[in-house]
Amino acid sequence: MILIDGKKTAQEIREELKKDIDKLKSEGKDVPGLVAIIVGDDPASKIYVRSKRKACEEVGIRTKTEEISSDIAETDLLKMIDNYNYDPAYHGILVQLPLPEHIDEDKVIEVISPKKDVDGFHPVSVGKLVIGKDTFRSCTPAGIQELLIRYNIETKGKHVVVLGRSNIVGKPIANIMLQKQEHANSIVTICHSAAPDVSYYTKQADILIAAIGVPGFVKADMVKEGVVVIDVGINRVKDSSKPKGYRLTGDVAFDEVAEKASYITPVPGGVGPMTIAMLLKNTYKACLKYSK
Ligand code: GUN
């Protein structure tokens, strides 16, 4: 069994990006800029945004964080985002989700210019992804494909089974792996909560991608020998032996499934760090493509 080290791979990507950005600087060109907008004070969101900002600073991406009170009117937030659409200092706009209830998430996602949509959530980005055009791809799915590439895992003609149909992970990763392109070209099944017998599908997987948010859902008797397992779950499970009172665990019962897997990602240290690395990559790409 080979453990897929997302932390190390993400670090490699960041070092590559740092070199690319240093080169832009030395040529006197514009460096990438990312504005992160956070509404309210959800503690998990704050931690995510802080990590994103730190990662940007490390590779030389200019960054700004807008911390907005949760009682901002929807129209004011939309206006603020739209102003950044015209601000040449920022090539990427990231609005951390979830948003407070009185704000329509769809409206927020749609007001971001597709040229600055480094999260890949805009319907234009999603549509281009589905029809196989170059676009910004949602960061976690892009990170999953990058791990498969960097670990030389064959995908052509392989059966990829995706557990979960979210707009952020399940649907985009299924569409990425489906494309008639290098590092994809897979046979794809999307499995979700309405499946009468999930095992029927998971047992067929050459590559199993679990993104349902149920701790330890995938057990050893649900997979075949030699399966490649990508665990996207980041679940907080109560654990009084830990200083914070909880530990992070994936959607896969790691110890038992690892015994049958040919490759497996751990949680933490698997897919998680790749999400931020791909956000940086998308921001760099936005700068190259659309910098004035
Ligand atoms: N909330 C959870 N994951 C994400 C993400 O990838 N991007 C944004 N903007 N918000 C999130």
Side-chain angles (χ1 to χ4, degrees):
M1 184 276 292
I2 294 173
L3 191 68
I4 298 180
D5 189 340
K7 200 171 165 194
K8 182 167 141 258
T9 308
Q11 187 56 37
E12 285 164 11
I13 293 170
R14 302 211 302 225
E15 281 162 18
E16 291 162 16
L17 264 176
K18 185 169 183 337
K19 281 191 194 140
D20 291 337
I21 293 168
D22 283 347
K23 188 159 173 281
L24 287 181
K25 268 188 213 158
S26 70
E27 291 167 350
K29 293 189 178 145
D30 196 12
V31 297
L34 175 74
V35 59
I37 300 170
I38 178 166
V39 185
D41 36 34
D42 175 54
S45 290
K46 284 199 160 175
I47 293 171
Y48 285 135
V49 169
R50 203 181 311 139
S51 311
K52 289 170 185 178
R53 186 174 62 201
K54 194 163 154 267
C56 282
E57 284 164 0
E58 267 175 37
V59 301
I61 292 176
R62 182 187 324 114
T63 118
K64 176 172 172 184
T65 306
E66 290 275 14
E67 296 197 22
I68 311 293
S69 160
S70 64
D71 58 13
I72 189 173
E74 185 184 84
T75 48
D76 292 338
L77 179 64
L78 296 175
K79 185 86 198 95
M80 168 189 253
I81 296 168
D82 193 39
N83 284 338
Y84 279 111
N85 284 335
Y86 298 96
D87 185 340
Y90 299 100
H91 306 90
I93 303 172
L94 177 144
V95 182
Q96 188 65 27
L97 305 178
L99 291 166
E101 264 182 24
H102 69 280
I103 294 172
D104 183 339
E105 217 162 85
D106 291 340
K107 280 191 193 163
V108 167
I109 288 170
E110 286 177 36
V111 79
I112 297 171
S113 163
K115 292 181 177 177
K116 298 196 176 191
D117 178 33
V118 287
D119 254 330
F121 294 164
H122 194 285
V124 167
S125 306
V126 178
K128 284 187 172 179
L129 170 68
V130 172
I131 60 173
K133 302 285 183 212
D134 180 50
T135 185
F136 295 115
R137 301 178 316 164
S138 155
C139 303
T140 301
I144 293 170
Q145 191 190 33
E146 194 69 27
L147 285 176
L148 296 173
I149 293 170
R150 291 187 184 231
Y151 277 82
N152 283 316
I153 295 168
E154 179 64 78
T155 56
K156 183 180 174 187
K158 300 295 179 190
H159 191 181
V160 172
V161 176
V162 179
L163 288 186
R165 55 180 155 183
S166 71
N167 290 340
I168 294 187
V169 182
K171 284 178 198 158
I173 190 61
N175 279 288
I176 288 172
M177 298 316 296
L178 178 65
Q179 296 304 322
K180 193 169 181 179
Q181 288 167 1
E182 226 191 332
H183 310 302
N185 215 358
S186 307
I187 317 305
V188 178
T189 299
I190 307 181
C191 201
H192 47 73
S193 53
D197 177 9
V198 177
S199 285
Y200 171 79
Y201 301 99
T202 56
K203 278 179 188 163
Q204 298 174 43
D206 299 312
I207 300 173
L208 180 63
I209 301 173
I212 47 173
V214 180
F217 180 85
V218 176
K219 305 282 196 301
D221 63 2
M222 294 168 68
V223 299
K224 70 179 182 190
E225 202 69 48
V227 63
V228 175
V229 179
I230 307 290
D231 189 350
V232 189
I234 305 178
N235 309 294
R236 282 187 183 191
V237 175
K238 268 194 186 147
D239 185 341
S240 52
S241 74
K242 301 283 173 194
K244 287 181 180 160
Y246 68 87
R247 67 190 152 82
L248 291 180
T249 183
D251 291 348
V252 176
F254 182 87
D255 291 342
E256 56 179 87
V257 174
E259 289 191 12
K260 287 176 92 174
S262 56
Y263 293 83
I264 188 166
T265 62
V267 176
V271 174
M274 292 297 289
T275 299
I276 295 186
M278 301 317 282
L279 172 72
L280 304 178
K281 262 192 116 149
N282 277 349
T283 306
Y284 175 68
K285 177 176 170 163
C287 174
L288 288 193
K289 222 171 158 177
Y290 299 115
S291 188
K292 296 268 158 48

